[in-house]
Amino acid sequence: MNALVFQSDFGLGDGAVSAMHGVARMVNSDLIIDDLTHDIKPYNIFEASYRILQTIEYWPKGTVFVSVVDPGVGSDRNSIVVKTKSGHYIVTPDNGTISHVAKFIGLESARIIDEVKDRLPFSENSHTFHGRDVYAYNGAKLASDEGYYHFLKEISLDELVYSPIKDAVFKDGVIEGTIDILDIRFGSLWTNIPLDLLKKADIKQGDAIKVTIFYKNIKKYENQMTFGHSFADVGLGETIAYINSLINLGIAINQASFSDTYQIGTGADWTIFIKKEI
């Protein structure tokens, strides 16, 4: 038996998440069930994809992740289960949720869930709560018996839906990247700029760097800050660049929200430029 981990954009203000837990326990009352998050921004598939990557490798092989951010619920989009090259499973709509894991970990194979046949018994008249009726149900089946995966119809990995994920680049002494997501609780910016690219630019801890942020073509922020080890390297209220838990560049204010202070958002339209100050 493997663990079952839920993620959604449902929030905890009603009984949706509890119903998913309940379905899983009806399938197998001995399952180990946990939650990644249910605070994904509504309909934000990119964020759901990122949060799985942030978490997946800290769970044992065989763990089943159920991710339900599904603006296309009830449409002709597929419901899928993928097996990753790390030995984990993801049960989710085929809408791009597996994109980050596919790019940075890799997928081994994929199967299609038959939404008519492979679902919670007597739920066939419900078309808007596949999180409960399809994903929690099949996730619990799979977590109870990995062999269940092979009863589902295989689909080529090339047929799956993938969201575009940009790579950071280093050119003419400047690193260009994107602000992928926030460290939600604290408002720090998490970029797609890896430590290896900072090393390529000869940026070391203790160096001063120039940080410029654009939203589309509008400059939203520009200033110099220290590239440090941790927030304690600067005073309260001061900015700092650091390496986050995914070994990418983060931008923060010590004990304040960078995102709120400077009104910085996330996604492909938010571009960040890093240059070492001489």
Side-chain angles (χ1 to χ4, degrees):
M1 192 185 306
N2 296 300
L4 180 64
V5 180
F6 288 125
Q7 170 178 273
S8 76
D9 58 354
F10 296 160
L12 297 175
D14 62 17
V17 172
S18 180
M20 291 170 64
H21 278 250
V23 166
R25 294 201 179 278
M26 283 197 296
V27 171
N28 186 340
S29 61
D30 293 326
L31 278 176
I32 298 169
I33 304 175
D34 209 333
D35 297 291
L36 195 163
T37 180
H38 295 287
D39 287 329
I40 299 294
K41 187 177 180 181
Y43 319 120
N44 194 323
I45 295 166
F46 184 92
E47 183 179 350
S49 174
Y50 192 101
R51 293 301 183 199
I52 296 174
L53 177 67
Q54 181 184 354
T55 309
I56 192 168
E57 289 191 295
Y58 297 97
W59 282 86
K61 291 181 179 181
T63 297
V64 177
F65 287 81
V66 171
S67 180
V68 191
V69 178
D70 192 14
V73 62
S75 70
D76 60 358
R77 60 97 186 91
N78 285 325
S79 293
I80 58 172
V81 185
V82 299
K83 185 176 183 181
T84 74
K85 289 186 176 178
S86 59
H88 301 86
Y89 297 91
I90 304 172
V91 183
T92 188
D94 183 21
N95 58 13
T97 300
I98 46 81
S99 299
H100 281 85
V101 169
K103 180 177 176 66
F104 295 105
I105 295 177
L107 304 181
E108 182 178 299
S109 58
R111 307 271 171 167
I112 293 180
I113 296 170
D114 185 332
E115 294 178 4
V116 175
K117 178 170 62 79
D118 304 322
R119 64 182 297 141
L120 179 68
F122 309 111
S123 68
E124 62 273 5
N125 291 318
S126 173
H127 305 288
T128 59
F129 197 0
H130 284 175
R132 175 195 66 195
D133 301 333
V134 176
Y135 300 119
Y137 179 76
N138 282 276
K141 288 268 199 178
L142 179 57
S144 301
D145 177 12
E146 285 189 65
Y148 181 72
Y149 179 73
H150 300 287
F151 287 99
L152 304 175
K153 180 182 177 182
E154 190 165 10
I155 181 174
S156 168
L157 295 176
D158 293 335
E159 296 180 61
L160 301 183
V161 175
Y162 300 95
S163 302
I165 299 173
K166 294 182 178 180
D167 291 317
V169 296
F170 175 56
K171 184 179 179 181
D172 298 329
V174 178
I175 299 173
E176 177 182 347
T178 55
I179 301 169
D180 281 346
I181 210 158
L182 299 181
D183 187 356
I184 295 292
R185 183 78 170 173
F186 304 104
S188 305
L189 314 182
W190 281 19
T191 77
N192 69 336
I193 300 172
L195 175 59
D196 288 345
L197 204 57
L198 294 169
K199 290 179 178 178
K200 186 175 180 180
D202 193 33
I203 296 174
K204 301 178 291 294
Q205 257 107 18
D207 287 345
I209 60 173
K210 181 180 178 182
V211 176
T212 309
I213 298 172
F214 283 85
Y215 175 66
K216 297 182 178 178
N217 295 318
I218 303 170
K219 186 185 291 185
K220 304 293 287 186
Y221 176 86
E222 184 173 74
N223 215 329
Q224 178 178 303
M225 65 184 67
T226 299
F227 175 50
H229 288 87
S230 69
F231 308 115
D233 289 347
V234 297
L236 293 180
E238 293 183 358
T239 57
I240 185 168
Y242 66 102
I243 296 300
N244 67 18
S245 59
L246 294 183
I247 320 303
N248 289 337
L249 182 70
I251 304 293
I253 298 175
N254 187 9
Q255 297 192 31
S257 169
F258 194 102
S259 174
D260 289 346
T261 300
Y262 296 105
Q263 296 300 295
I264 306 297
T266 64
D269 291 330
W270 289 89
T271 309
I272 183 167
F273 296 88
I274 306 295
K275 183 178 181 180
K276 181 176 180 178
E277 293 284 70
I278 307 301

